[in-house]
Amino acid sequence: MTDEPLLSIGQFARLARLSVKQLRHYADLGVLPPARVDPATGYRYYRAGQAPDALTIGLLRSLDVPLPVVAEVLRGEPTAPGALAAVRDRLEGELARRRHSLTALEHILERGLPSAETAHVALHEEGPQRVALVREVATSPYDIARATSRCVARLLPLLSGDGPPQLTGLFPLDMEEHVPISVGAALEDGATLEDGGAAVSESVTAELLPGGTFARATHVGPYAQIPLTAHALLAWCAERGHAPAGPLREVYVDDPATTPPDRLVTHLMVPVREREAAG
């Protein structure tokens, strides 16, 4: 109503359970503009009828909803439910990462930092291996698990052969903002690509993983804790002067569909070369 009494910004802040600073910030962003601004003094005034919007802003911001999404909700835009769902998915992802971090910290507290002895790190000669390879780019190091799962989901339907395939993940040693990863399935013992081994798409190809000398460690446990064993592997290389010369490989020995997470065996391998002596 146009004749509704105006409230000072302080009075409205108490009614809306927001601070004066917050109200000024929301007004500057256009999310909750005042009903009137005195042209002489610059004082801001609000109507009591604006309180529901202010309370909605406070509620959604307390739930970590970004202000652009809050604005969509206040305007009643049809995209608002989808935007809120995206925020929920982001929070779920962050929660999952926190749970993984907590589990890893508990593991370290119980057993100490991973060591080369517990991971059975040693040099290993590996022959070349023909694989069906798929590629994906993770949007961040925290997105690697999702991107890896997507690679596997794209790869498995293209394979034929008896029994579960031997899968190998390839991950760069340098973690940038965007992380290119690959997952390969061994093409041996009767396994083939459905089209006979030729490229079936731009990102699914039959390729040869090079062999050579690798530093290898064995990880037993959930995939989420593989970084602990990778730490032991790379520390072992650094202590002995072996320079990693390629991507880190994760060879998944067991089928996670039939093996409990705490019994999953994964071999971690990184190709190495001796560091040249300083001349």
Side-chain angles (χ1 to χ4, degrees):
M1 298 174 59
T2 56
D3 59 349
E4 185 179 357
L6 294 177
L7 304 175
S8 70
I9 191 171
Q11 292 173 317
F12 186 74
R14 288 190 292 274
L15 178 64
R17 303 186 70 184
L18 295 171
S19 69
V20 169
K21 181 178 179 181
Q22 286 174 310
L23 286 174
R24 288 174 176 161
H25 180 58
Y26 298 152
D28 293 342
L29 293 176
V31 177
L32 186 66
R36 179 176 179 272
V37 178
D38 190 305
T41 63
Y43 289 166
R44 307 180 189 200
Y45 297 90
Y46 293 80
R47 301 187 188 280
Q50 293 179 276
D53 281 353
L55 290 165
T56 297
I57 294 172
L59 171 63
L60 294 179
R61 289 298 293 140
S62 72
L63 300 176
D64 289 333
V65 176
L67 276 173
V69 178
V70 173
E72 289 186 48
V73 173
L74 293 179
R75 292 193 298 264
E77 295 184 6
T79 56
L84 286 174
V87 174
R88 177 204 60 200
D89 293 343
R90 174 180 59 80
L91 292 175
E92 286 181 345
E94 291 177 358
L95 180 60
R97 290 193 291 271
R98 292 293 185 183
R99 285 173 175 163
H100 289 160
S101 298
L102 179 60
T103 300
L105 285 173
E106 289 175 343
H107 186 279
I108 291 173
L109 286 171
E110 291 175 2
R111 308 182 188 182
L113 286 170
S115 67
E117 289 74 21
T118 58
H120 306 289
V121 181
L123 292 178
H124 172 76
E125 293 297 324
E126 183 79 7
Q129 185 180 51
R130 185 168 172 269
V131 298
L133 198 70
V134 295
R135 295 177 174 84
E136 186 76 25
V137 177
T139 56
S140 73
Y142 298 112
D143 188 45
I144 289 177
R146 181 207 62 82
T148 303
S149 297
R150 184 174 176 182
C151 282
V152 173
R154 289 165 50 203
L155 180 60
L156 292 183
L158 302 174
L159 300 171
S160 63
D162 298 330
Q166 178 182 316
L167 299 180
T168 300
L170 292 91
F171 306 92
L173 293 176
D174 298 326
M175 290 295 176
E176 304 293 343
E177 181 178 355
H178 293 89
V179 186
I181 66 173
S182 304
V183 175
L187 293 178
E188 54 189 14
D189 297 329
T192 61
L193 283 176
E194 287 295 342
D195 70 344
V200 296
S201 77
E202 292 182 356
S203 60
V204 183
T205 56
E207 299 186 21
L208 190 69
L209 294 183
T213 301
F214 291 76
R216 186 175 76 168
T218 299
H219 173 80
V220 181
Y223 294 144
Q225 294 180 13
I226 284 179
L228 298 177
T229 302
H231 164 85
L233 173 65
L234 295 175
W236 183 91
C237 290
E239 291 170 356
R240 286 159 178 76
H242 298 300
L248 179 69
R249 299 186 188 182
E250 296 179 2
V251 181
Y252 310 109
V253 176
D254 298 310
D255 183 355
T258 59
T259 305
D262 60 344
R263 296 183 182 179
L264 290 170
V265 175
T266 307
H267 294 310
L268 275 65
M269 304 196 309
V270 61
V272 295
R273 62 174 180 268
E274 297 288 346
R275 286 198 177 96
E276 297 180 0

